[in-house]
């Protein structure tokens, strides 16, 4: 919860933030509810791949980040979640130019700073599937990811 609040508070402070946007507290509460749903959903699965660098982006305080690492460890044990992290110094065979979410083989949601785009064009979806497959091969999972997250949490706690 502290991590979500830190992220949404930072975003709300931007000059371009909409005055009619939900409050950071409301957004953080919504994120917590989605996590609860994720933990209870038995019918869908999620695979998340991120770089180790993302874990070291200090959003909030070191204690908030240590709590977030603990939350990620917890999420990595959920039966519907497969969490992968690409460790520092892993040879980059590909680079993702931006974030994206894939929905089976039906569509890809592409995120930018100010908007999102959805493509269902089979050639585009296949291109993102190939990119994701390569990113997934670069990542560590399961016990290796939890070891990396524990070490990162301990580093934050020592700060």
């Amino acid at each position: 919860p502290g991590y979500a609040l830190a992220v949404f508070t930072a975003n709300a402070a931007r000059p371009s933030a909409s005055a009619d946007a939900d409050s950071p507290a409301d957004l953080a509460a919504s994120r917590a509810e989605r996590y609860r749903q994720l933990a209870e959903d038995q019918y869908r699965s999620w695979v998340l791949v991120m770089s180790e660098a993302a874990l070291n982006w200090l959003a909030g305080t070191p204690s908030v980040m240590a709590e977030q690492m603990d939350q990620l460890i917890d999420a990595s044990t959920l039966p519907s979640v497969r969490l992968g992290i690409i460790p520092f110094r892993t040879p980059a065979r590909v680079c993702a130019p931006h974030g994206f979410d894939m929905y089976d083989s039906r569509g890809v949601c592409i995120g930018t700073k100010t908007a999102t785009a959805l493509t269902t064009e089979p050639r585009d979806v296949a291109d993102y599937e190939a990119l994701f497959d390569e990113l997934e091969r670069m990542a560590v999972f399961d016990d290796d990811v939890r070891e990396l997250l524990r070490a990162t949490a301990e580093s934050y706690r020592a700060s």
Side-chain angles (χ1 to χ4, degrees):
Y3 176 81
L5 187 58
V7 169
F8 292 128
T9 299
N11 286 338
R14 287 190 342 263
S16 62
S18 172
D20 60 348
D22 290 338
S23 75
D26 289 341
L27 291 168
S30 176
R31 174 79 53 95
E33 174 60 20
R34 285 195 306 276
Y35 182 81
R36 186 191 62 74
Q37 292 171 357
L38 170 77
E40 295 174 357
D41 192 330
Q42 302 172 16
Y43 303 104
R44 290 182 279 186
S45 62
W46 289 266
V47 179
L48 172 66
V49 174
M50 69 176 88
S51 69
E52 184 176 356
L55 305 176
N56 289 282
W57 188 273
L58 183 60
T61 64
S63 64
V64 163
M65 292 304 295
E67 177 185 270
Q68 179 65 3
M69 297 308 111
D70 294 339
Q71 182 76 24
L72 290 171
I73 290 167
D74 182 58
S76 76
T77 66
L78 296 173
S80 61
V81 174
R82 186 163 186 253
L83 175 61
I85 297 175
I86 302 169
F88 286 137
R89 294 184 176 62
T90 298
R93 299 182 292 263
V94 296
C95 292
H98 47 72
F100 61 95
D101 298 307
M102 296 185 59
Y103 301 96
D104 299 327
S105 293
R106 296 175 292 171
V108 178
C109 184
I110 303 156
T112 69
K113 180 179 184 246
T114 59
T116 58
L118 177 66
T119 182
T120 57
E121 175 63 39
R123 188 172 50 227
D124 293 341
V125 173
D127 187 44
Y128 279 98
E129 283 180 319
L131 174 59
F132 186 80
D133 288 346
E134 191 60 33
L135 293 168
E136 197 173 16
R137 282 191 285 278
M138 293 164 53
V140 297
F141 292 88
D142 304 318
D143 289 340
D144 292 334
V145 86
R146 287 184 280 279
E147 182 178 319
L148 192 155
L149 289 165
R150 278 188 202 95
T152 304
E154 288 310 311
S155 175
Y156 279 120
R157 286 185 179 98
S159 296

